[in-house]
Amino acid sequence: MRYKIISLLFCILAISSLHAQKKEIYLDNTQPIEARVKDALSRMTLEEKVKLCYAQSKFSSHGVPRLGIPELWMSDGPHGVRMEILWDSWGHADWSNDSCTAFPALTCLAATWDPAMSHLYGNAIGEEARYRRKDVLLGPGVNIYRTPLNGRNFEYLGEDPFLSSSMVVPYIQGVQENGVSACVKHFALNDQETWRDHIDVQVSDRALYEIYLPAFKAAVTKGKVWSVMGAYNKIRGQYACENELTLHKILKGEWKFDGCVITDWGGAHDTKEAALNGLDIEMGTGTNGFTSNAANAYDSYYLGNSYLQLLKSGTIPVSNLDEKATRILRLIFRTAMNNQKPYGSLATEAHHMAGRTVAEQGIVLLKNDAGILPINSAKYKTIAVIGENATRKLTEGGGSSELKVKHEISPLQGLMEKLGADKIKYALGYASGAVSYDKVNASPYDAALLRNEAVELASKSDLVIFIGGLNKNTQQDSEGDDRRSYSLPFEQNELIAALQKVNKNIVIVMLSGNAYSMPWLYQASTLVQAWYGGSEAGHAIANVLSGTVNPSGKLPFTFAEKLNDYGAHSFGTIAYPGDSIKEEYKEDILVGYRWFDTKKIKPLFPFGYGLSYTSFEYGNITTDKKVYTNDESIRLKFSIKNTGKTDGAEVAQVYASQTKASVLRPVKELKAFKKVFLKAGELKYVELEIKVKDLSFFNEHSHKWTVEPGEFVLFNAASSAEVKNRVSIQVK
Ligand code: BGC
């Protein structure tokens, strides 16, 4: 009897354990992700786990077909969901259902200085990515604006770590609400395109932690981003996608990142380094002809067969693979296998309106000395619109952020709709060549002829609206190469000077993602920086020029008078672009306005600058206390009054400075800001909070953020160069 009971118990145990084994926790959506990941991992073979770690096509990585775990589909990019790309090459797949909304480029988003705009943007682009069945959106980019020659600055959020950190977080949250992973890039120090695939960046710990990493850190710790893209370049001798310091120690160690590190396309170089230093998914490897259609192409990736061999031989422990597979499964469960996610939508009216709003909020009014703006069209019988950018498609080209759009409203179209098509005449004025990646094409037109025609038109018109700037051609605002010069291209300076000779009423509107020199500035009364505005660019520009929208954007980077005024260009070629092997960030922490302020160099237009059609008055800045301890927060308060006749918005900025420090500190640093909407005549109080620990510097000796006791001064300001009032506090 006793034996019978025991064997019965055994039977029950065996059956229930069989049952438990069968229960597919990983498929059960009600289970926590960590339990599902663990369950899935326990069912996988070594080979299946390895396969998760590398591409199966140009833009997808393997799933586990035997277990019904789907692959990951990825797509560029930061300001729109790129058209479909062929399985094995960079060619366009030419689908007819992948036309998207082009959102404004990220410099424009940064210029809104409004985190709510970032969320609107992130959510809308996330909906498009979701609709297009993408699991990972390859953006946003948060590399710091160090030099205006960097071809990819338009894809980033400007020169200041606090501004870019504040703007990147809501973007990520907006994207990820759709069950799509944002992929913040390019981690780290990919601040130029020249020699991007190998240049070895030497940077101090202080500049790394204070300037180049904060936006990535905010993306991870506050935005909870699910994936990060490694950069192409080297950092202190090691490739960024295989970098012990940045990936292993900082990203996964100090910041406790629980997502996936994905290579930039072709960013892996060595199996052991990649495996051991924190890379999770290898994409786009192009070495040794691996991108061909050969059956083994993808298995030959560094994290493919050769990784498998090192695991099998025990050279690399299986725990290394399990860690990667855990992260990748987590990413798959958060995205591809998340059946709670919404369906998304593509190129909708709502998305176009979101894009237009961001574009309108980001346009920066730089000069309006003669009061020409807003344009009262009744005043003018004839309006000349001049310049290639008035009609050029600026959503095409630029590299991986190229887009195929459902529509793109050109500035000319927007202005004709707004000011009256019958009064407007158009002349090209200047021309660039056709856009093609990695190649500069010459203009097919005679520059002098175009110029003469435009000057002739300008001389007969009551008002001239010049629309120029850079474009998405190679060596302009484009991936793969940097600009060759700080000057405007395509003989625009000559054209503008010639126009200024024949007409006093000129509105200059520049479209670019970078700063440029302005030899004609002192003769120009009216200047607008309008970035790349995406699908609705033309409507946004017309709304701002006509006054339907009052401009409120502020510059996210400094416009210098000349190239050598920038810190990165003040130390010879070793500081930019390097000697082709390495590059030293000699300006250290003094990037952007930190450099201009500290070295007392007057820029053309400072960081944080931007005008409005109304005027604002700042009140005194006060704090809730005079003395603070390290772990307290400073509560600040000041009033802003709209003293003009038009409703408008002002970005109130607060900078901090340490009076006496044991290390070099910039004259001042941005610590808080708020965009405040005010009706004509209205006064509001702005209340902001700064943590005392955010006044710290990165101490290279102790490897700790340090606040030294003593006096700090806080300024409210309309730009980094226009301080209004100040208040002093003590830190104990
Ligand atoms: C770019 C990335 C991009 C990737 C895929 C790379 O060349 O640097 O930003 O996401 O290609 O297109």
Side-chain angles (χ1 to χ4, degrees), residues 59 76 82 90 138 152 185-186 196 229 232 264-265 400 479:
F59 278 96
D76 287 304
R82 193 180 188 182
W90 288 105
L138 304 172
R152 290 187 93 172
K185 67 191 188 183
H186 306 88
R196 68 169 173 172
M229 184 189 289
Y232 281 131
D264 198 340
W265 268 231
S400 59
E479 186 178 339

mmCIF file of all heavy atoms in Angstrom, residues 59 76 82 90 138 152 185-186 196 229 232 264-265 400 479, ligand 1:
data_model
loop_
_atom_site.group_PDB
_atom_site.id
_atom_site.type_symbol
_atom_site.label_atom_id
_atom_site.label_comp_id
_atom_site.label_asym_id
_atom_site.label_seq_id
_atom_site.Cartn_x
_atom_site.Cartn_y
_atom_site.Cartn_z
ATOM 1 N N PHE A 59 17.924 45.439 -42.634
ATOM 2 C CA PHE A 59 17.288 46.144 -41.513
ATOM 3 C C PHE A 59 16.500 45.231 -40.574
ATOM 4 O O PHE A 59 15.591 45.697 -39.896
ATOM 5 C CB PHE A 59 16.388 47.270 -42.037
ATOM 6 C CG PHE A 59 17.178 48.518 -42.361
ATOM 7 C CD1 PHE A 59 17.594 48.771 -43.665
ATOM 8 C CD2 PHE A 59 17.534 49.412 -41.371
ATOM 9 C CE1 PHE A 59 18.351 49.908 -43.962
ATOM 10 C CE2 PHE A 59 18.287 50.546 -41.656
ATOM 11 C CZ PHE A 59 18.699 50.796 -42.952
ATOM 12 N N ASP A 76 15.402 53.549 -40.180
ATOM 13 C CA ASP A 76 15.716 54.953 -39.952
ATOM 14 C C ASP A 76 14.394 55.695 -40.005
ATOM 15 O O ASP A 76 13.429 55.205 -40.624
ATOM 16 C CB ASP A 76 16.654 55.462 -41.067
ATOM 17 C CG ASP A 76 18.055 54.888 -40.881
ATOM 18 O OD1 ASP A 76 18.617 55.072 -39.804
ATOM 19 O OD2 ASP A 76 18.556 54.233 -41.817
ATOM 20 N N ARG A 82 11.810 55.928 -42.777
ATOM 21 C CA ARG A 82 12.413 55.816 -44.105
ATOM 22 C C ARG A 82 11.656 54.826 -44.994
ATOM 23 O O ARG A 82 11.035 53.877 -44.492
ATOM 24 C CB ARG A 82 13.848 55.316 -43.911
ATOM 25 C CG ARG A 82 14.749 55.425 -45.102
ATOM 26 C CD ARG A 82 16.121 54.888 -44.730
ATOM 27 N NE ARG A 82 17.094 55.136 -45.771
ATOM 28 C CZ ARG A 82 18.359 54.732 -45.700
ATOM 29 N NH1 ARG A 82 18.802 54.059 -44.637
ATOM 30 N NH2 ARG A 82 19.195 54.989 -46.680
ATOM 31 N N TRP A 90 21.503 48.466 -50.094
ATOM 32 C CA TRP A 90 20.948 49.759 -49.678
ATOM 33 C C TRP A 90 19.892 50.271 -50.646
ATOM 34 O O TRP A 90 19.343 51.347 -50.457
ATOM 35 C CB TRP A 90 22.073 50.801 -49.583
ATOM 36 C CG TRP A 90 22.987 50.604 -48.415
ATOM 37 C CD1 TRP A 90 24.257 50.103 -48.445
ATOM 38 C CD2 TRP A 90 22.717 50.903 -47.038
ATOM 39 N NE1 TRP A 90 24.788 50.080 -47.178
ATOM 40 C CE2 TRP A 90 23.865 50.570 -46.296
ATOM 41 C CE3 TRP A 90 21.604 51.428 -46.358
ATOM 42 C CZ2 TRP A 90 23.946 50.734 -44.913
ATOM 43 C CZ3 TRP A 90 21.694 51.597 -44.982
ATOM 44 C CH2 TRP A 90 22.846 51.254 -44.281
ATOM 45 N N LEU A 138 15.412 54.019 -35.628
ATOM 46 C CA LEU A 138 16.824 54.362 -35.433
ATOM 47 C C LEU A 138 17.008 55.873 -35.236
ATOM 48 O O LEU A 138 17.432 56.598 -36.107
ATOM 49 C CB LEU A 138 17.645 53.828 -36.605
ATOM 50 C CG LEU A 138 17.473 52.309 -36.818
ATOM 51 C CD1 LEU A 138 18.136 51.856 -38.109
ATOM 52 C CD2 LEU A 138 18.017 51.518 -35.646
ATOM 53 N N ARG A 152 26.136 66.039 -40.058
ATOM 54 C CA ARG A 152 24.913 65.469 -39.486
ATOM 55 C C ARG A 152 24.326 66.267 -38.341
ATOM 56 O O ARG A 152 23.433 65.776 -37.644
ATOM 57 C CB ARG A 152 25.169 64.028 -39.026
ATOM 58 C CG ARG A 152 25.360 63.074 -40.170
ATOM 59 C CD ARG A 152 25.429 61.637 -39.684
ATOM 60 N NE ARG A 152 24.123 61.003 -39.707
ATOM 61 C CZ ARG A 152 23.940 59.703 -39.482
ATOM 62 N NH1 ARG A 152 24.956 58.922 -39.178
ATOM 63 N NH2 ARG A 152 22.727 59.173 -39.535
ATOM 64 N N LYS A 185 21.172 57.492 -30.713
ATOM 65 C CA LYS A 185 22.423 57.295 -31.421
ATOM 66 C C LYS A 185 23.203 58.597 -31.501
ATOM 67 O O LYS A 185 22.635 59.646 -31.236
ATOM 68 C CB LYS A 185 22.144 56.738 -32.821
ATOM 69 C CG LYS A 185 21.411 57.688 -33.787
ATOM 70 C CD LYS A 185 20.956 56.923 -35.032
ATOM 71 C CE LYS A 185 20.415 57.843 -36.093
ATOM 72 N NZ LYS A 185 19.908 57.125 -37.272
ATOM 73 N N HIS A 186 24.469 58.625 -31.857
ATOM 74 C CA HIS A 186 25.398 57.525 -32.080
ATOM 75 C C HIS A 186 26.339 57.531 -30.902
ATOM 76 O O HIS A 186 27.094 58.496 -30.740
ATOM 77 C CB HIS A 186 26.169 57.721 -33.385
ATOM 78 C CG HIS A 186 25.260 57.931 -34.567
ATOM 79 N ND1 HIS A 186 24.793 59.176 -34.958
ATOM 80 C CD2 HIS A 186 24.706 57.046 -35.446
ATOM 81 C CE1 HIS A 186 24.021 59.050 -36.030
ATOM 82 N NE2 HIS A 186 23.938 57.773 -36.340
ATOM 83 N N ARG A 196 34.677 59.183 -40.015
ATOM 84 C CA ARG A 196 33.839 58.720 -38.912
ATOM 85 C C ARG A 196 34.012 57.239 -38.622
ATOM 86 O O ARG A 196 33.744 56.776 -37.521
ATOM 87 C CB ARG A 196 32.364 59.008 -39.194
ATOM 88 C CG ARG A 196 31.776 58.191 -40.348
ATOM 89 C CD ARG A 196 30.262 58.301 -40.416
ATOM 90 N NE ARG A 196 29.737 57.641 -41.611
ATOM 91 C CZ ARG A 196 28.463 57.450 -41.845
ATOM 92 N NH1 ARG A 196 27.556 57.859 -40.984
ATOM 93 N NH2 ARG A 196 28.071 56.848 -42.952
ATOM 94 N N MET A 229 22.296 52.893 -30.198
ATOM 95 C CA MET A 229 23.168 52.545 -31.320
ATOM 96 C C MET A 229 24.593 53.024 -31.042
ATOM 97 O O MET A 229 24.806 54.200 -30.745
ATOM 98 C CB MET A 229 22.664 53.200 -32.619
ATOM 99 C CG MET A 229 23.487 52.778 -33.844
ATOM 100 S SD MET A 229 23.086 53.737 -35.331
ATOM 101 C CE MET A 229 21.465 53.120 -35.711
ATOM 102 N N TYR A 232 30.389 54.806 -35.016
ATOM 103 C CA TYR A 232 31.408 54.206 -35.886
ATOM 104 C C TYR A 232 32.835 54.420 -35.366
ATOM 105 O O TYR A 232 33.706 53.589 -35.533
ATOM 106 C CB TYR A 232 31.347 54.855 -37.274
ATOM 107 C CG TYR A 232 30.246 54.354 -38.175
ATOM 108 C CD1 TYR A 232 29.401 55.241 -38.837
ATOM 109 C CD2 TYR A 232 30.084 52.989 -38.415
ATOM 110 C CE1 TYR A 232 28.412 54.791 -39.699
ATOM 111 C CE2 TYR A 232 29.089 52.541 -39.278
ATOM 112 C CZ TYR A 232 28.260 53.444 -39.913
ATOM 113 O OH TYR A 232 27.292 52.994 -40.761
ATOM 114 N N ASP A 264 26.087 50.624 -35.156
ATOM 115 C CA ASP A 264 25.779 51.361 -36.365
ATOM 116 C C ASP A 264 26.090 50.387 -37.495
ATOM 117 O O ASP A 264 26.820 49.398 -37.303
ATOM 118 C CB ASP A 264 26.592 52.649 -36.493
ATOM 119 C CG ASP A 264 25.938 53.605 -37.503
ATOM 120 O OD1 ASP A 264 25.138 53.123 -38.340
ATOM 121 O OD2 ASP A 264 26.228 54.804 -37.472
ATOM 122 N N TRP A 265 25.542 50.659 -38.668
ATOM 123 C CA TRP A 265 25.621 49.667 -39.745
ATOM 124 C C TRP A 265 27.078 49.474 -40.212
ATOM 125 O O TRP A 265 27.652 50.330 -40.872
ATOM 126 C CB TRP A 265 24.705 50.080 -40.880
ATOM 127 C CG TRP A 265 23.322 49.485 -40.766
ATOM 128 C CD1 TRP A 265 22.649 48.811 -41.751
ATOM 129 C CD2 TRP A 265 22.439 49.488 -39.631
ATOM 130 N NE1 TRP A 265 21.417 48.392 -41.286
ATOM 131 C CE2 TRP A 265 21.264 48.788 -39.992
ATOM 132 C CE3 TRP A 265 22.523 49.966 -38.324
ATOM 133 C CZ2 TRP A 265 20.195 48.578 -39.118
ATOM 134 C CZ3 TRP A 265 21.459 49.766 -37.447
ATOM 135 C CH2 TRP A 265 20.325 49.081 -37.854
ATOM 136 N N SER A 400 21.093 58.515 -44.341
ATOM 137 C CA SER A 400 20.125 57.545 -43.834
ATOM 138 C C SER A 400 18.825 58.191 -43.362
ATOM 139 O O SER A 400 17.837 57.500 -43.158
ATOM 140 C CB SER A 400 20.741 56.743 -42.698
ATOM 141 O OG SER A 400 21.150 57.608 -41.662
ATOM 142 N N GLU A 479 24.938 63.085 -44.339
ATOM 143 C CA GLU A 479 25.769 62.042 -43.739
ATOM 144 C C GLU A 479 26.974 61.702 -44.622
ATOM 145 O O GLU A 479 26.954 61.922 -45.827
ATOM 146 C CB GLU A 479 24.887 60.792 -43.587
ATOM 147 C CG GLU A 479 25.525 59.657 -42.863
ATOM 148 C CD GLU A 479 24.577 58.481 -42.722
ATOM 149 O OE1 GLU A 479 23.343 58.660 -42.822
ATOM 150 O OE2 GLU A 479 25.082 57.366 -42.510
HETATM 151 C C1 BGC B 1 24.043 55.669 -39.981
HETATM 152 C C2 BGC B 1 22.968 55.420 -38.947
HETATM 153 C C3 BGC B 1 21.806 54.709 -39.593
HETATM 154 C C4 BGC B 1 22.311 53.424 -40.221
HETATM 155 C C5 BGC B 1 21.236 52.625 -40.916
HETATM 156 C C6 BGC B 1 24.412 54.421 -40.736
HETATM 157 O O1 BGC B 1 25.262 54.703 -41.791
HETATM 158 O O2 BGC B 1 25.173 56.223 -39.368
HETATM 159 O O3 BGC B 1 22.552 56.609 -38.348
HETATM 160 O O4 BGC B 1 20.798 54.484 -38.661
HETATM 161 O O5 BGC B 1 23.296 53.734 -41.197
HETATM 162 O O6 BGC B 1 20.813 53.271 -42.054
#
